[in-house]
């Protein structure tokens, strides 16, 4: 199973997701893809098995990913302060892989959910979804 975690800016969300995956599902191989080298570095330090940075790695790896995890901004062009290019968001959106998106109410987008969750709770819910399909 090909699992990619995408994040930008400082990589905090991706780092938390990878730490939780490695805690709950250590047997899974995770590829970290940052929109910048700082985000990639943070995710690699969290235990990702491989990593890459930039637009082309997102486009290439989204094409055959089984699961893509990241903040909801990865499907919104020009989000994450402009780090997500239209080509990146298009590749993620068009991927046939399952997208597990953390609904952070930023990027001029509000996701209405039954309850308001902290980032830590959202990460746990995202990894719980991954557990459902991984086992």
């Amino acid at each position: 199973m090909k699992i990619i975690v995408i994040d930008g800016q400082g990589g905090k969300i991706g780092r938390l997701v990878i730490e939780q995956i490695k805690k709950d599902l250590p047997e899974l191989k995770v590829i970290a893809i940052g929109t910048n080298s700082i985000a990639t570095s943070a995710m690699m330090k969290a235990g990702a098995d491989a990593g890459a940075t930039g637009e082309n790695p997102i486009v290439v790896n989204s094409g055959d990913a089984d699961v893509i995890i990241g903040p909801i901004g990865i499907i919104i062009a020009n989000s994450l302060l402009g780090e997500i290019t239209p080509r990146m968001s298009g590749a993620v959106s068009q991927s046939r892989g399952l997208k597990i998106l953390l609904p952070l109410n930023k990027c001029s987008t509000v996701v209405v959910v039954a309850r308001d969750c902290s980032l830590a709770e959202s990460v746990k819910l995202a990894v719980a979804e991954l557990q459902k399909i991984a086992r």
Side-chain angles (χ1 to χ4, degrees), residues 1-6 29 31 33 57-69 74 91-100 130 133:
M1 180 180 317
K2 184 174 182 179
I3 301 166
I4 63 173
V5 176
I6 300 172
K29 302 290 184 220
I31 300 170
I33 306 178
I58 290 174
V59 171
V60 170
N61 285 284
S62 293
D64 64 351
D66 295 302
V67 180
I68 301 171
I69 304 174
I74 64 174
V92 173
S93 297
Q94 293 172 14
S95 172
R96 292 182 184 230
L98 173 68
K99 273 103 32 211
I100 300 175
L130 180 59
I133 65 160

Side-chain angles (χ1 to χ4, degrees), residues 5 39 55 77 102 104 119:
V5 176
E55 182 181 73
L102 291 110
L104 305 175
L119 177 57

